[in-house]
Amino acid sequence: MTMNRDDIFTKVQEVLVDALAVDDDEVSYESTLMGDLGAESIDFLDIVFRLEKAFGIKIPREELFPAESLMNDASLVHNGKLTDKGLNMLREKMPHSDITQFEKDPDINKLANLFTVKAIVNYIENKLNKK
């Protein structure tokens, strides 16, 4: 069964409504998980689990949300900003996210803004197309 982008969004929206106890009208493509929907780092594990179950896929650790591995490597962060090497790794690890704005000011405190509903939909769409 193939799913179009709207179907994927609807399922992702349902997952986020359940996991984060938000209303479905709060979940738009541009919503950030932490800033707009109030997710905390502990919620990310629950979201991944629910996405795996909803879509029948396996999401390897840090494939969807790779922030931890980036921030824990001193060669990737300098003075609170991702280095060029860090940005390259981010591009590689998060092809499902648009990092254009983040690249202008790669402050690691703004990394969470890349975790959007749209990024999840892009990720799921890519995963399902590879099945």
Side-chain angles (χ1 to χ4, degrees):
M1 173 183 101
T2 58
M3 294 182 78
N4 68 36
R5 215 168 152 73
D6 291 335
D7 294 337
I8 294 170
F9 171 77
T10 300
K11 263 190 160 175
V12 167
Q13 184 181 43
E14 290 169 7
V15 164
L16 295 174
V17 165
D18 289 344
L20 302 174
V22 294
D23 293 329
D24 57 356
D25 62 339
E26 294 177 72
V27 182
S28 71
Y29 273 106
E30 301 309 316
S31 300
T32 62
L33 297 185
M34 296 179 95
D36 296 327
L37 303 178
E40 296 179 6
S41 56
I42 190 99
D43 295 318
F44 283 63
L45 289 173
D46 185 38
I47 290 167
V48 167
F49 172 75
R50 289 171 186 259
L51 290 169
E52 287 177 332
K53 194 171 179 184
F55 291 98
I57 59 174
K58 183 73 181 132
I59 301 173
R61 179 172 160 76
E62 288 214 10
E63 189 173 270
L64 181 56
F65 307 118
E68 190 177 316
S69 61
L70 289 170
M71 294 192 311
N72 291 334
D73 185 330
S75 71
L76 304 178
V77 178
H78 181 72
N79 290 333
K81 295 189 184 280
L82 283 183
T83 62
D84 287 341
K85 182 179 177 184
L87 284 169
N88 287 333
M89 183 172 282
L90 182 66
R91 275 186 217 94
E92 182 183 305
K93 288 183 170 263
M94 292 185 69
H96 49 276
S97 292
D98 178 4
I99 69 165
T100 312
Q101 285 302 115
F102 179 77
E103 288 174 311
K104 295 174 186 174
D105 181 19
D107 183 330
I108 59 169
N109 295 315
K110 297 178 181 175
L111 198 57
N113 294 338
L114 297 177
F115 304 138
T116 63
V117 174
K118 183 177 182 181
I120 295 173
V121 171
N122 291 343
Y123 175 86
I124 298 292
E125 186 176 43
N126 290 337
K127 274 292 227 201
L128 293 177
N129 287 336
K130 289 180 183 176
K131 261 183 138 181

